[in-house]
Amino acid sequence: MALRPLDSFFLALSLFLLLTSPSVSGSATQFCSAGREPSTRILIKGGTVVNAHHQELADVYVEDGIIVAVQPNIKVGDEVTVLDATGKFVMPGGIDPHTHLAMEFMGTETIDDFFSGQAAALAGGTTMHIDFVIPVNGNLVAGFEAYENKSGNSCMDYGFHMAITKWDEGVSRDMEKLVKEKGINSFKFFLAYKGSLMVTDDLLLEGLKRCKSLGALAMVHAENGDAVFEGQKRMIELGITGPEGHALSRPPVLEGEATSRAIRLARFVNTPLYVVHVMSVDAMDEIAKARKSGQKVIGEPVVSGLILDDHWLWDPDFTIASKYVMSPPIRPLGHGKALQDALSTGILQLVGTDHCTFNSTQKSLGYDDFRKIPNGVNGLEERMHLIWDTMVGSGQISVTDFVRITSTECARIFNIYPRKGAIIAGSDADIIILNPNSSYEISSKTHHSRSDTNVYEGRRGKGKVEVTIAGGRIVWENEELKVVPGSGKYIEMPPFSYLFDGIEKSDANYLSSLRAPVKRVPSEATT
């Protein structure tokens, strides 16, 4: 058949991936099934191919993990697996920008490791995620090495953000090493969790400056940690010790304040800012004002904040109430719809999950004190389905918008587009086939996370991922996962994404506007 030629970059890339991909033969896993054997050649026929700004009826041909051609009526020979996508959408696999797998936190560790979390993701149509590395005693390189070990059982592609929890010259040097040698292009600063992860304004300023010099994106968890600490004391003094105390102790105003402060400090330094898990109208309004003024601020809502409200935290059953504890908290009714509107109008840019799962036994560590309930909810497996049903099914966004907010924009922000986030010749073969007429129901009994609870329990919707292709291999088909630990790849993400375009010019304009220093003639009073 006549296939469009790959340019030199993607040809070199495909050869590299083919030669370096780990072998998976002979491995066994709880998710391995006796279904279709993985194929290096796949033809997806008759579907509607959807990218972030265009959709078309076309076939997609995949070979050795790379998309080779996207065009109508592709003809192939034997030994090609053919998938019929007639009446269905063929889209880039989802990219989740915000996860916490195998994370040690609040005296325990998240129940999903890199294998179980990624397996769940693949069943839900997400083919890459970016996880947060936590330093070891403040040491960034030690933290990176620890997460390299943790991710050894991965079964799909992933990248890393790095958290910054202290500041000294060693941290500054390690940031440069991670950017230039390890493929990290984003650093997260927690303005919450006083006494553990929280950073002060002076540290944040140093970090923002260093991120700017390295072309790395600064990210913030925006809650006022000092005020949250005060709010927690207030709730305990009032005798409010249950999960509802978590939300009451850290109201939206504290998220809005911290978001505003981080945005203003980023403007002062003149560097892009990414606000993770935007949960409230208060925070969203600050992002909207900044973006309207021309500031480069990215707002990331998460699925739980978009579609849930906080009434569950008042449930009399502790197991039910505690599973909804996350930070910032799920907000009262009304915030979620406002965030959906902001997402549909471009005020917010992409959707993550903050997948950080703890089972009911772990959550019970805070039975008598909400401050000890491990914070976090699930979402890696559910994100694509819930966003489709909530946003596309309701007519709030288009199919192309769906691709943009679940995949493409993430790839652009973290500088891996068009390798990821697109169905074009030369891109990685991370592809999903979604049937808009197929229904689903979410349950902890059938999900692939190791958690025994699910915050979306019982939710039903329309629009289901029927096939997931990751790295050119069919890993989800006919309700069966076929994944193997160790088959995932770490994706290096280069610095200086599109968000840094124009920074030098605006710095130059700022300097020229100062009209300083002023040359003054000494007066009698100064001599």
Side-chain angles (χ1 to χ4, degrees):
M1 68 178 179
L3 300 178
R4 285 184 283 175
L6 301 177
D7 61 30
S8 57
F9 168 77
F10 282 120
L11 180 58
L13 177 62
S14 64
L15 290 173
F16 172 78
L17 293 178
L18 179 62
L19 293 172
T20 58
S21 294
S23 172
V24 298
S25 60
S27 299
T29 163
Q30 61 182 352
F31 293 121
C32 268
S33 65
R36 187 199 300 273
E37 284 299 313
S39 173
T40 59
R41 297 178 181 180
I42 301 170
L43 178 63
I44 305 170
K45 288 194 67 68
T48 300
V49 176
V50 186
N51 281 298
H53 303 292
H54 177 69
Q55 65 183 70
E56 60 180 325
L57 281 172
D59 299 342
V60 180
Y61 179 66
V62 170
E63 191 169 322
D64 297 333
I66 301 294
I67 296 171
V68 177
V70 182
Q71 60 193 54
N73 302 315
I74 295 175
K75 306 298 182 184
V76 295
D78 298 331
E79 298 183 358
V80 175
T81 299
V82 178
L83 300 173
D84 184 3
T86 303
K88 303 172 185 178
F89 292 108
V90 181
M91 300 184 285
I95 307 174
D96 190 336
H98 189 154
T99 63
H100 299 280
L101 301 181
M103 178 188 180
E104 297 170 18
F105 186 53
M106 298 184 72
T108 185
E109 183 173 314
T110 55
I111 198 70
D112 278 325
D113 63 11
F114 275 79
F115 177 67
S116 67
Q118 291 181 353
L122 291 169
T126 288
T127 54
M128 180 179 170
H129 70 110
I130 312 177
D131 209 79
F132 287 90
V133 173
I134 307 299
V136 175
N137 298 321
N139 187 293
L140 308 191
V141 172
F144 181 85
E145 291 171 349
Y147 272 72
E148 277 188 312
N149 292 331
K150 290 181 180 185
S151 61
N153 63 348
S154 64
C155 57
M156 76 181 197
D157 290 357
Y158 61 96
F160 286 144
H161 310 290
M162 172 63 72
I164 303 293
T165 57
K166 72 171 190 177
W167 190 260
D168 56 32
E169 284 305 310
V171 170
S172 181
R173 287 193 301 271
D174 284 349
M175 287 177 70
E176 181 173 9
K177 180 176 182 179
L178 291 172
V179 169
K180 293 183 176 180
E181 300 177 18
K182 302 297 183 181
I184 285 181
N185 67 2
S186 50
F187 295 91
K188 181 180 181 182
F189 303 85
F190 290 88
L191 307 187
Y193 301 121
K194 184 174 182 177
S196 57
L197 299 173
M198 176 179 157
V199 302
T200 54
D201 284 357
D202 58 335
L203 190 159
L204 177 59
L205 277 168
E206 292 296 334
L208 290 171
K209 291 189 294 183
R210 191 60 170 139
C211 282
K212 179 181 179 180
S213 71
L214 295 169
L217 183 57
M219 313 175 80
V220 287
H221 171 142
E223 290 181 286
N224 187 311
D226 289 318
V228 167
F229 185 75
E230 176 62 28
Q232 291 173 329
K233 289 196 299 181
R234 180 187 301 172
M235 291 304 112
I236 296 300
E237 289 168 359
L238 291 172
I240 302 172
T241 60
E244 69 277 11
H246 177 75
L248 294 170
S249 69
R250 48 208 311 151
V253 65
L254 302 187
E255 186 185 353
E257 185 281 330
T259 303
S260 173
R261 177 161 40 99
I263 286 172
R264 282 161 170 74
L265 292 178
R267 180 185 301 162
F268 177 67
V269 174
N270 190 29
T271 196
L273 183 71
Y274 183 116
V275 184
V276 305
H277 48 42
V278 177
M279 298 292 285
S280 66
V281 171
D282 304 54
M284 180 268 289
D285 283 345
E286 297 297 334
I287 293 167
K289 286 189 293 184
R291 288 180 61 84
K292 187 176 181 179
S293 73
Q295 190 174 351
K296 295 182 177 182
V297 179
I298 299 294
E300 170 211 272
V302 291
V303 179
S304 54
L306 288 166
I307 69 173
L308 299 175
D309 65 74
D310 70 349
H311 81 274
W312 294 104
L313 292 165
W314 275 260
D315 194 286
D317 186 324
F318 176 85
T319 298
I320 293 175
S322 63
K323 73 179 179 180
Y324 292 93
V325 170
M326 65 174 292
S327 295
I330 297 167
R331 301 302 187 184
L333 193 67
H335 285 266
K337 185 60 176 70
L339 295 176
Q340 290 178 29
D341 293 343
L343 187 62
S344 68
T345 56
I347 293 170
L348 303 175
Q349 286 69 54
L350 73 169
V351 181
T353 61
D354 194 9
H355 184 94
C356 185
T357 49
F358 300 96
N359 64 21
S360 57
T361 301
Q362 292 171 303
K363 291 279 189 175
S364 70
L365 293 171
Y367 183 80
D368 296 318
D369 186 345
F370 68 85
R371 296 172 298 180
K372 298 177 182 178
I373 300 172
N375 291 193
V377 302
N378 60 287
L380 249 175
E381 184 168 358
E382 298 81 11
R383 180 182 71 124
M384 300 288 279
H385 291 138
L386 290 172
I387 294 302
W388 178 274
D389 188 53
T390 302
M391 301 296 293
V392 181
S394 65
Q396 294 183 80
I397 64 172
S398 66
V399 179
T400 53
D401 285 335
F402 175 79
V403 169
R404 176 177 54 80
I405 66 175
T406 61
S407 183
T408 306
E409 190 58 29
C410 184
R412 292 183 68 238
I413 289 168
F414 296 104
N415 218 12
I416 51 175
Y417 180 87
R419 177 182 180 182
K420 302 289 186 183
I423 297 185
I424 59 177
S427 296
D428 284 2
D430 296 335
I431 302 169
I432 61 173
I433 301 175
L434 184 144
N435 186 343
N437 298 312
S438 184
S439 299
Y440 64 84
E441 180 175 356
I442 296 171
S443 171
S444 58
K445 295 181 175 63
T446 56
H447 70 196
H448 296 83
S449 166
R450 287 178 177 157
S451 177
D452 60 348
T453 65
N454 191 308
V455 294
Y456 310 104
E457 187 72 39
R459 186 175 288 267
R460 298 177 180 180
K462 206 169 185 182
K464 182 171 174 53
V465 175
E466 294 185 338
V467 177
T468 303
I469 299 168
R473 294 181 179 273
I474 299 169
V475 294
W476 172 253
E477 186 184 25
N478 299 322
E479 299 293 314
E480 291 183 335
L481 270 171
K482 190 163 188 176
V483 290
V484 178
S487 58
K489 300 187 299 292
Y490 174 65
I491 304 299
E492 294 191 4
M493 300 178 290
F496 293 103
S497 74
Y498 81 93
L499 293 170
F500 285 85
D501 294 348
I503 292 289
E504 288 186 1
K505 183 177 180 179
S506 60
D507 278 344
N509 290 340
Y510 165 73
L511 292 174
S512 66
S513 73
L514 296 179
R515 298 184 294 115
V518 176
K519 293 182 180 180
R520 292 181 171 84
V521 177
S523 64
E524 291 183 5
T526 60
T527 57

